[in-house]
Amino acid sequence: MDKVTLSVIVPMYNEEEVIPETYKRLKNVLDGLNESYEIIFINDGSRDRTGEMLLKICESDYNTKLIDFARNFGHQIAITAGMDYAAGDCMVIIDGDLQDPPELIPDMMELWRQGYDVVYGKRKARKGETFFKKFTAKAFYRILRSLTDINIPVDTGDFRLIDRRVCEALKQLPERSRYVRGLMSWVGFKQTAIEFERSERFAGETKYPLKKMLKLAMDGIMSFSYKPLKLSSWVGSLLSLFSFLYLIEVLLQKLLFPHTAQSGWASLIAVSLFFNGITLLMLGIIGEYVGRIYEEAKGRPLYIVSELKNMEERKGPRFNITQRQNKKD
Ligand code: UDP
Ligand code: MG
């Protein structure tokens, strides 16, 4: 494998508008470093011209590599693939839309040289994002923190530098519903933060619609805490206790005052709706965990690569690449 000091991992999903600028700014910073480096782009099943554009860049620049996914597997899986293939002694994970400034990389490397294994970017401010996104993100990081025992830093995305050791440790974690920044806290090592202002997206719009954001949030909580399950057993026990006490009261009333007219309908409906609601909610929580167990049990590979560029000799640790034999080059 080639000797590389720094691998920069950039996931790309329908990002044709930002690719030239991202490449230019990354190149600028990396050339100034005086280090051997590689840029690994992951094309996460884009439907626009992202794939072609990245391939073109790779053809003119051997330090730029491409992992082309067979379909959209999602951001967290894309960065996992990047780490699987990266050859660097350290690696930087950075968004492709220039919301994370590449100019921070030299400072991150400086901290890495001082002995830190993980240097994560902490968002001081977020520009160009809706109030809703900022608010939900802030709330989510804090809820997650209160639910888990491990120390997952708040207001921190996937923009970070990690040492090879951390990457190797992460490769040992085979789980499917990956919340990568949580896994990185889980493996430990010496970590430090570097603050930055998160700028606006250079162009295009977010590739994280509400649905994907919710899935990421659920993955974060479900993979790092079973407190929701504990909560459901607590609520269950409390409600059973109250119901039992109330049952005794109802029975006593019936025995002691058998002829009093009891107004039944409204209270029956209320009790039934309330308990059914709670039961379904708890079932849903259990369902979330069962679904995740099912996902793990299937043991499918995390992603399928359809093509590698400029690193065909490297083997992904989890599967064999399906290369087409009849391809005209
Ligand atoms: N991304 C990806 N696969 C996806 C969604 C997003 O590889 O299914 C990439 C995207 O191209 C970008 C990064 O993940 O480089 C972060 O996505 P985005 O900027 O849309 O998220 P936001 O910053 O709005 O949270
Ligand atoms: Mg973004």
Side-chain angles (χ1 to χ4, degrees), residues 15 95-100 123 129 133 198-202 205-208:
E15 301 282 14
D95 279 1
D97 59 357
L98 292 174
Q99 280 197 285
D100 307 327
R123 299 157 180 176
E129 287 177 311
K133 176 135 189 170
R198 191 161 159 91
S199 30
E200 279 175 64
R201 203 172 221 291
F202 178 74
E205 53 193 54
T206 176
K207 306 300 176 312
Y208 259 99

